[in-house]
């Protein structure tokens, strides 16, 4: 049966899409391209299964993965089927069981295709019939916390997870089932299930949001498995009848659907920039990448004419490389917006993502080395391609370089800049807000050294799936602490967060790229501006890494500039991790810590010690993981230096008690915070030998500061002097600048210059 | 020339020695055994060098080490010789340079012997002549902090280090030098050097102390190299003319030399127990093991008739195995007394120790596997033996089991008990005080899980050789915090430390072994008593590990019993490491932390939160390194539960801000603290899956508590019940006990019984 699919473009956005998405728009709306090539057709194809069988035993990484999965599923089959009446939150038994069931069914389905052992098909069928028996009688899930409660789980999001995986299982055993069995499953389970998460939950389904992506993919995958054209349209374009009041806001204060955008294609267009950056950040991209890529794979297999992987200049393929570039040397993702530490490209969703990007994205050999590190592959056509590529020795190291990734659907809403220099990886954030998971952290950064986070981004305040911590869900401290500006390494004006900490204001704005120049590995510069975080105040931060032949490691120069119409208090927190070794100034510790402030995150900080700057450089020397670091900062006489610690007003020990050093300027219109950060030495607790325990920076000073230019001089302990000038108003590469500073005339071309004075 | 050596036994101790030390006592005091077998004769022998040369290129671990050392020394030779006028503390240039010089000379000497390249000999000779030129004019080192200031370094200890290594270098190039050169070096440098650290510093040299061990070995090594009998006698028996006032005390309040014991043999006899446990603990044994073993090796080579390795029933050989047994699964030493975290058997002094113990101690094949892990060998006869052993495939895993190591010269001053069960390693300390580096921590323990310290011993308050932290020396917080009882996982009575925190009292006493029974790997029991820490109060702690087939990991049962004539406040701190997940009781956090007490270490603790026990079990569930742990403790109604954190009154951030949970009983004569500690689950930040996040212990209760017996019942969450009884007064293995408890009569044989009730 040839079904028909139509493409309607109702909004200007979708008109834009039309020009990018290479669909066959000349066809009439009633014409369809749903092919009828039989099953499996989602992640496996008939030809793919043949190829896999032909290669089995000769594709080591595939064979190993297959053996592991088989061992796991054989135990599950032996343990028997459990389909309990839903009642728990995540972490609880019924939640974890249903979650396990969909993973297990997907794997059992794949095993049936590859190994042709009926036991796997029977297991899937029997479990599906348990669900088909239960589903028609199921009420809404009893746990009330979600805005869109599911039936199997407490939220539709998890129900959608279930359907994305289970569709694949159904596809794998489709031909094993009788027509009557298929009719029962589709009638009692799949169609009502798809309707429930779409028609009955438009606030969940009809939105641009990672939740909707899962919902769209779920409906789309089962549509493809069932060959249902109208369901597929719903998946791709949303449930048109489910209109949402454009003024409706969600818990975060953002509009649920202001402009009517919905469906998988809108969800694919909106959050990804042309560079493949996902606006919520890598942690959520990792989560969303599975439905994006698995549904895309299924579409490519079943509807190759849609050329989904070409969509928006191959954004899905780009997004996988972008995501890998947003991981540190160990593969752990940088923490941008809500993100839990330790998430990495070893996540199983990234195994599929990497394999799919390789198979459908032009066989990028660098992806093979990531797959090798992952040590497993997807058990499908894409995984086979990767396994063969590795076997044939095509793997090449994934070469992570400094990179700027634009944000926003059109790539014009700021960016994230990653500077890599020696063992340092610096992540500088000047993006858009990042939807509901965004933090109020304009122009913040974090610094890694050989994969260790040295100047940290706190991440989220949540222990994901650890039930004893608030059911494993977001903790209230995520809003009162983790999202607030003071929880980040960026400037806070008058103890208020950027955009007053309001999502609906923050989501209207983005920072602006100014410079990203990383071709010279000895001098890499990223600079960005933000004029909206505090109306009336202009912020510009310039981060430079300098590699000097006299020293083993590069160091960081940070210039944070604020100019305002009004006098303000400016705080610049510095979230170093480790133990203080020494400062070059006297400080007084309080007898007991005091709470630093009343709100906007300040209520979660203790003040432990204080010092008044005398106008000289301040130095903080500390030790982390047997490496010595020094922060050197220019101060003005009278600046406050505050030693703080996270953990105040934290009745349940939800926060980590980690330190910070904050520089505070009071009653200031224009402020220039300048500092260097060095990783200069090492300690061995075995030989007890301290190597280069002291900073190599003797002094830093501001030599020039005007609206047009800023200049900083750095003198090293070996006597060498360096000068850095930046134009604050013109970033043209060919613009010539002339500046007189300290009786010397400097002339250079481009937005900055760096001079070794001796 | 045949020189003579005599053996005088002046004290009853030395009479005891005589019967153990198999020397040729029949010889007259004037007769000598100094052989005249030529050079080298200390760590290398003429035959040994021949053997090494014959095997070079065919002994991988030796060849690799040789290549590394050669590369290192070639660079040093190229850099040239620097022998600066001494002026710095450790961490400073002159200190570090002289320290480097002796390491480099020793290695260059060895390279000359093995490779026969004159450049190495010349380099050693030239450097020695620089020293010989400078030494006669050198005043006492200008830095005043030591009780025994050196000349090259701020303390005689480091001067002795220099001589121990340099003697080896001298021995290696002895035959390369002319007789005139040797005369100059011996006259201007070595003899005055040896005299200075002995004759001129009897408080340093004539003592039983690790400092003296270095001094004795230094004088002894140069004596052997120079064939000087009278110097050797001074090394072995002390500088007889340098009498020390028996009432003289050192900075720690201990007597410097109360009983006239001195010299290398006394230093070897006193601190080692018959099991090879070194009373200061593994951290200082590691430091002392080099002079002990390297001098013993030299004695064995030059004076085999002394049979130094047979001394005290081969205690030196035993001490190496004991030390390895006192390391965790990663090779890091357990923290007993002053000890810095991270010190391990990868320390270079342990490379020599392991090789020497293998070569001279009967070729224990388990030591080869340690050498393999170390990845290098000593470049001498012992290292050759190890390299050959490894090459011949003789290596066997070093099988660390549960072990009790007695303390005290005669082995009757308590012990340290190590229980190993599954991935857990529990170190229980019921030793003597441990000389001047001892802590006031009777019956304390620490717990490791797969090498991670979970319930910690704080260790020392020092950053060894990190100059910016108090010159790298002991910080004042070592005395005010790290040594105090409250810094440990043991009972504190009335907020005072054991023995009033006085070294001269503590050093008179030791705890008593009671039970150490570890043959049943499912039930291991260690119990000990202390009646001296608090006069009038009797302490007994019993630690049990229980492995239950229903659960993956064993768990710990801890029974701490105090019985007193008077009413007291008892605190039992619990230094868990990690983040609190959940408690089963309500607690109130203070708005700001408050200092917990006034002195004895309490001034360094903050009180963060409080709860009053209602008499039920309290549970603390926490997460460390992605593992879930639970502490379950029996309480009495009204007990205080105090959440604390280290770091109060710490003006220089010398302390680590780590947590503790303290149970406090007030106005109590007899107290029984009973708790379990479980490692029951894991978390993956990649899959975000929490496995077995909750405790398997439902309840624990005291079923019996009398002077004669204690009994504890444990109910697991699966309903199974277990009962543990211990006899508090009789630890005979064959004694039969009858006890009625809860209407049931229990009869068993031996000091404890364990019953599965269902």
């Amino acid at each position: 049966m040839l079904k028909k699919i139509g493409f309607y473009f109702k909004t200007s956005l979708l008109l834009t899409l039309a020009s990018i998405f290479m669909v066959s728009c000349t066809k009439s709306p009633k014409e369809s391209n749903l092919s009828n090539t039989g099953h499996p057709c989602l992640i496996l194809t008939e030809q793919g299964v043949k190829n896999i069988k032909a290669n089995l035993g000769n594709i080591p990484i595939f064979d190993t993965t297959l053996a592991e999965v088989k061992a796991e599923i054989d135990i599950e089959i032996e343990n028997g089927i459990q389909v309990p009446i839903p009642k728990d939150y995540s972490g609880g038994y019924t939640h974890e069981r249903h979650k396990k069931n969909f993973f297990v069914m997907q794997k059992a389905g794949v095993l049936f295709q590859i190994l042709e052992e009926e036991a796997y098909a029977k297991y899937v069928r029997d479990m599906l019939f348990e669900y088909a028996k239960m589903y028609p009688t199921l009420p809404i899930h009893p746990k009330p916390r979600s805005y869109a409660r599911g039936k199997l789980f407490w939220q539709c999001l998890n129900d959608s997870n279930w359907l994305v995986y289970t569709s694949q299982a159904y596809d794998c055993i489709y031909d094993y089932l009788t027509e009557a069995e298929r009719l029962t499953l589709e009638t009692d389970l799949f169609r009502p299930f798809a309707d429930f998460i779409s028609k009955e939950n438009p606030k969940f389904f009809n939105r641009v949001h990672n939740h909707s992506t899962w919902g769209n993919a779920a409906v789309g995958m089962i549509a493809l498995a069932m060959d249902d054209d109208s369901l597929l349209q719903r998946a791709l374009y949303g449930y048109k009848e489910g209109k949402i009041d454009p003024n409706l806001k969600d818990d975060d204060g953002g509009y649920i659907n202001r402009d009517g955008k919905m469906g998988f294609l809108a969800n694919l267009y909106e959050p990804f920039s042309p560079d493949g950056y996902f606006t919520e950040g890598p942690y959520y991209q990792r989560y969303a990448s599975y439905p994006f890529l698995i549904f895309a794979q299924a579409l490519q297999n079943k509807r190759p004419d849609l050329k989904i992987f070409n969509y928006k200049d191959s954004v899905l393929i780009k997004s996988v490389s972008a995501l890998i570039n947003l991981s540190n040397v160990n593969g752990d993702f940088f923490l941008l917006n809500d993100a839990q530490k330790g998430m990495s490209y070893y996540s199983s969703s990234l195994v599929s993502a990497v394999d799919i990007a390789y198979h459908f994205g032009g066989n990028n050999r660098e992806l093979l080395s990531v797959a090798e590190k992952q040590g497993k592959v997807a058990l499908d056509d894409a995984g086979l391609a990767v396994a063969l590529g590795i076997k044939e020795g095509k793997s090449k190291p994934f070469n992570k370089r400094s990179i700027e990734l634009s944000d926003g659907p059109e790539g014009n809403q700021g960016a994230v800049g990653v500077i890599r220099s020696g063992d340092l990886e610096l992540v500088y954030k000047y993006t858009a807000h990042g939807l509901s998971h965004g933090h109020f952290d304009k122009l913040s950064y974090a610094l890694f050294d050989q994969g260790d986070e040295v100047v940290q981004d706190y991440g989220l305040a949540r222990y994901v799936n650890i039930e004893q911590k608030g059911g494993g869900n977001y903790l209230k401290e995520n809003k009162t602490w983790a999202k607030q500006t003071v929880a980040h390494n960026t400037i806070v004006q008058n103890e208020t967060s950027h955009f007053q900490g309001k999502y609906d204001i923050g989501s209207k704005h983005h920072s602006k790229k100014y410079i990203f120049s990383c071709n010279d590995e000895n001098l890499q510069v990223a600079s960005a501006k933000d004029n909206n975080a505090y109306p009336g105040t202009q912020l510009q931060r310039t981060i430079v890494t300098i590699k000097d032949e006299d020293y083993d490691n590069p160091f960081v120069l940070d210039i944070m500039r604020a100019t305002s119409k009004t006098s303000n208090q400016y705080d610049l927190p510095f979230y170093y991790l480790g133990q203080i070794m020494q400062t070059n100034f006297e400080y007084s510790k309080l007898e007991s810590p005091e709470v630093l402030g009343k709100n906007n995150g300040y209520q979660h900080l203790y003040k432990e010690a204080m010092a008044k700057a005398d106008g000289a450089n301040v130095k903080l020397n500390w030790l982390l993981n047997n490496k010595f670091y020094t922060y050197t900062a220019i101060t003005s006489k009278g600046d406050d230096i505050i030693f703080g610690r996270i953990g105040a007003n934290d009745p349940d020990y939800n926060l980590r008690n980690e330190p910070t050093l904050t520089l505070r300027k009071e009653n200031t219109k224009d402020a220039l915070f300048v500092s260097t950060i060095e990783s200069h030495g090492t300690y061995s607790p075995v030989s007890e030998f301290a190597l280069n325990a002291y900073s190599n920076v003797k002094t830093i000073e501001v030599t020039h500061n005007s609206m047009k230019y800023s200049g900083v001089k750095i003198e090293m302990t070996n006597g060498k002097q360096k000068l850095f000038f930046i134009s604050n108003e013109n970033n043209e590469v060919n613009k010539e600048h002339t500046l007189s500073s300290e009786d010397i005339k400097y002339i250079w071309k481009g937005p900055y210059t760096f001079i070794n004075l001796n």
Side-chain angles (χ1 to χ4, degrees), chain A:
Chain A
M1 183 185 69
L2 252 152
K3 290 198 181 162
K4 295 182 180 176
I5 190 166
F7 294 91
Y8 300 96
F9 302 107
K10 289 201 175 161
T11 69
S12 61
L13 162 73
L14 289 172
L15 283 173
T16 313
L17 295 189
S19 61
I20 301 166
F21 187 23
M22 306 313 286
V23 296
S24 44
C25 291
T26 51
K27 288 179 184 160
S28 91
K30 291 287 156 205
E31 196 175 341
S32 168
N33 288 298
L34 264 189
S35 61
N36 194 3
T37 51
H39 294 271
C41 62
L42 301 185
I43 63 163
L44 286 163
T45 58
E46 286 171 289
Q47 184 58 45
V49 171
K50 280 183 202 160
N51 296 343
I52 289 170
K53 287 179 185 166
N55 282 286
L56 275 190
N58 273 312
I59 32 176
I61 195 171
F62 196 103
D63 295 332
T64 315
T65 309
L66 183 65
E68 284 167 10
V69 169
K70 182 178 185 315
E72 179 195 343
I73 299 308
D74 288 351
I75 289 171
E76 283 303 320
I77 292 178
E78 204 172 302
N79 288 342
I81 290 169
Q82 295 170 50
V83 178
I85 298 294
K87 73 179 182 54
D88 297 328
Y89 278 129
S90 55
Y93 165 70
T94 72
H95 181 103
E96 296 305 324
R97 186 67 240 179
H98 288 296
K99 185 171 164 186
K100 194 168 193 174
N101 282 351
F102 67 69
F103 284 124
V104 167
M105 278 195 284
Q106 191 269 354
K107 288 173 179 169
V110 166
L111 290 177
F112 171 66
Q113 282 293 333
I114 297 176
L115 301 176
E116 290 179 278
E117 291 179 24
E118 192 185 341
Y120 299 112
K122 184 176 174 309
Y123 178 74
V124 174
R125 183 193 65 192
D126 292 352
M127 192 183 287
L128 284 177
F129 271 88
E130 289 293 317
Y131 277 105
K133 204 159 61 187
M134 180 174 77
Y135 196 81
T137 67
L138 275 187
I140 304 297
H141 193 279
K143 293 287 186 199
R145 202 185 284 144
S146 174
Y147 73 99
R149 288 153 74 180
K151 286 194 164 184
L152 296 181
F153 300 91
W154 66 280
Q155 51 177 353
C156 279
L157 173 62
N158 302 112
D159 280 41
S160 300
N161 301 156
W162 187 94
L163 191 55
V164 164
Y165 285 86
T166 303
S167 303
Q168 299 170 48
Y170 180 56
D171 176 49
C172 283
I173 67 158
Y174 193 95
D175 290 338
Y176 169 79
L177 298 169
T178 64
E179 200 170 327
E181 284 171 334
R182 290 198 292 261
L183 187 66
T184 304
L185 290 176
E186 296 189 6
T187 309
D188 291 353
L189 181 59
F190 296 133
R191 286 184 205 282
F193 200 110
D195 286 346
F196 177 73
I197 60 174
S198 55
K199 281 185 177 177
E200 293 176 48
N201 281 282
K203 275 194 278 185
F204 165 77
F205 191 78
N206 277 354
R207 201 178 172 188
V208 171
H209 192 282
N210 72 65
H211 287 192
S212 306
T213 301
W214 276 98
N216 303 155
V219 169
M221 297 283 280
I222 199 67
L224 292 174
M226 299 192 301
D227 254 358
D228 184 326
D229 177 31
S230 86
L231 256 191
L232 181 63
Q233 288 201 46
R234 196 192 295 169
L236 291 174
Y237 302 109
Y239 175 59
K240 304 288 176 186
E241 294 74 20
K243 289 273 181 291
I244 293 169
D245 176 356
N247 293 314
L248 204 65
K249 289 184 177 184
D250 68 9
D251 298 343
D252 297 311
Y255 292 106
I256 288 194
N257 197 332
R258 187 72 172 161
D259 46 19
K261 294 172 191 167
M262 55 175 148
F264 185 72
L265 295 177
N267 266 296
L268 182 47
Y269 186 84
E270 284 289 315
F272 287 105
S273 79
D275 291 340
Y277 176 71
F278 186 71
T279 194
E280 298 189 24
Y283 179 76
Y284 273 92
Q285 181 180 348
R286 172 271 326 171
Y287 184 60
S289 68
Y290 189 77
F292 276 124
L293 285 153
I294 209 78
F295 185 34
Q297 179 179 24
L299 280 171
Q300 183 65 26
N301 284 333
K302 186 89 177 179
R303 287 294 309 276
D305 59 298
L306 294 184
K307 295 183 176 154
I308 188 72
F309 285 111
N310 292 359
Y311 182 73
K312 199 175 173 175
D313 199 17
S314 305
V315 74
L316 269 176
I317 303 300
K318 284 180 186 169
S319 78
V320 176
S321 288
L323 184 52
I324 295 168
N325 268 306
L326 290 174
S327 70
N328 70 19
V329 70
N330 299 326
D332 291 352
F333 296 130
F334 298 136
L335 298 138
L336 299 164
N337 302 320
D338 284 340
Q340 183 165 274
K341 300 199 176 189
M343 181 54 73
S344 73
Y345 61 49
Y346 294 97
S347 164
S348 62
S349 64
L350 265 286
V351 174
S352 292
V354 165
D355 294 357
I356 292 169
Y358 176 79
H359 187 48
F360 295 101
N363 295 355
N364 173 0
R365 292 164 62 178
E366 293 192 359
L367 292 173
L368 296 179
S369 67
V370 178
E372 284 178 307
K373 286 191 180 171
Q374 291 170 333
K376 51 187 159 188
V377 290
L379 295 179
D380 60 18
D381 298 9
L384 174 66
V386 166
L388 288 171
I390 291 172
K391 189 194 167 194
E392 290 160 10
K394 291 183 181 162
S395 173
K396 271 176 63 175
F398 194 101
N399 196 356
K400 290 185 199 169
R401 292 202 191 82
S402 296
I403 190 168
E404 185 179 59
L405 297 166
S406 64
D407 193 8
E410 317 291 338
N412 57 5
Q413 298 182 9
V416 56
V418 180
I419 302 181
R420 294 186 160 95
S421 182
D423 291 326
L424 301 183
E425 296 180 294
L426 191 145
V427 197
Y428 179 22
K429 183 167 183 263
Y430 38 100
T431 60
H433 191 72
L435 304 183
S436 64
H437 290 293
H439 286 198
F440 299 96
D441 61 350
K442 300 286 113 178
L443 309 188
S444 186
Y445 75 98
L447 179 67
F448 292 78
D449 184 8
Q450 294 183 315
D452 291 332
E453 202 177 13
V454 175
V455 183
Q456 77 159 330
D457 184 286
Y458 187 87
L460 43 61
R462 178 182 180 184
Y463 298 83
V464 181
N465 291 333
I466 298 182
E467 195 195 23
Q468 58 266 52
K469 277 292 193 199
N473 298 311
Y474 278 99
L475 299 165
K476 61 183 186 307
E477 289 81 7
N478 197 59
K479 196 162 183 177
T480 60
W481 164 252
K483 287 191 167 189
Q484 299 297 326
T485 305
V486 74
H488 299 85
N489 300 298
T490 190
I491 202 162
V492 192
Q493 179 176 300
N494 301 326
E495 301 186 28
T496 59
S497 284
H498 298 165
F499 309 111
Q500 305 166 52
K502 290 184 178 162
Y503 172 63
D504 53 353
I505 303 178
S507 58
K508 283 190 195 124
H509 300 287
H510 58 82
S511 303
K512 280 187 187 159
K513 303 196 272 184
Y514 185 68
I515 302 171
F516 190 80
S517 171
C518 290
N519 292 330
D520 176 359
E521 65 173 350
N522 294 323
L523 184 77
Q524 303 190 51
V525 182
S527 186
K529 299 185 179 193
D530 195 287
N531 298 336
N532 299 302
Y534 297 113
T537 300
Q538 300 188 317
L539 303 175
Q540 178 179 3
R541 185 174 225 164
T542 303
I543 295 183
V544 186
T545 60
I546 298 164
K547 175 81 189 82
D548 180 324
E549 60 180 10
D550 293 335
Y551 303 103
D552 289 341
N553 299 329
F555 65 94
V556 176
L557 170 65
D558 172 27
I559 305 171
M560 169 63 99
R561 188 167 163 267
T563 50
S564 184
K565 292 174 188 157
T566 52
S567 282
N568 300 296
Q569 173 187 298
Y570 296 114
D571 286 351
L572 186 61
F574 179 71
Y575 285 93
Y576 70 97
L577 284 174
Q579 178 83 28
I580 294 178
M581 292 289 105
Q582 199 179 41
T583 62
N584 71 338
F585 57 92
E586 299 276 321
Y587 54 85
S588 359
K589 272 193 103 175
L590 308 182
E591 160 138 7
S592 288
E594 292 170 6
V595 182
L596 187 59
K598 293 248 178 280
N599 36 41
N600 305 321
Y602 281 78
Q603 74 276 23
H604 291 297
L605 281 170
Y606 285 121
K607 180 166 73 174
E608 287 187 338
M610 281 286 297
K612 275 279 175 200
D614 61 3
N617 286 181
V618 294
K619 276 182 175 284
L620 173 73
N621 175 271
W622 79 96
L623 184 68
L624 172 69
N625 293 337
N626 295 316
K627 295 202 200 82
F628 291 104
Y629 298 91
T630 298
Y631 171 70
T632 305
I634 294 174
T635 64
S636 302
K637 192 168 162 61
D639 287 354
D640 285 324
I641 306 158
I642 304 167
F643 293 80
R645 191 169 299 274
I646 303 162
N649 286 298
D650 174 26
D652 301 318
Y653 281 100
N654 285 340
L655 299 176
R656 305 188 305 270
N657 298 92
E658 290 160 344
T660 173
L661 186 83
T662 296
L663 296 185
R664 172 173 289 180
K665 292 178 187 291
E666 286 173 344
N667 286 314
T668 303
K669 279 189 170 177
D670 300 341
L672 195 65
F673 290 93
V674 180
S675 59
T676 56
I677 310 164
E678 301 161 81
S679 167
H680 50 73
T682 56
Y683 181 69
S684 162
V686 175
S687 70
E688 296 185 330
F689 190 66
L691 190 69
N692 302 326
Y694 293 102
S695 166
N696 299 318
V697 170
K698 189 173 168 197
T699 54
I700 48 177
E701 61 175 306
V702 174
T703 57
H704 189 95
N705 191 24
S706 66
M707 290 309 283
K708 285 189 138 180
Y709 299 102
S710 299
V712 176
K713 185 156 81 178
I714 305 169
E715 182 171 347
M716 309 301 288
T717 49
N718 64 5
K720 293 200 181 163
Q721 296 187 334
K722 299 155 195 302
L723 203 49
F724 178 80
F725 284 113
I726 181 168
S727 155
N728 295 326
E729 294 181 343
N730 189 309
N731 63 357
E732 289 165 37
V733 175
N734 291 315
K735 166 79 179 173
E736 194 169 282
H737 297 271
T738 307
L739 172 67
S740 290
S741 178
E742 294 182 327
D743 296 335
I744 300 172
K745 194 186 223 177
Y746 297 95
I747 302 170
W748 75 90
K749 208 166 85 171
Y752 63 86
T753 187
F754 181 78
I755 302 152
N756 281 305
L757 291 177
N758 53 354

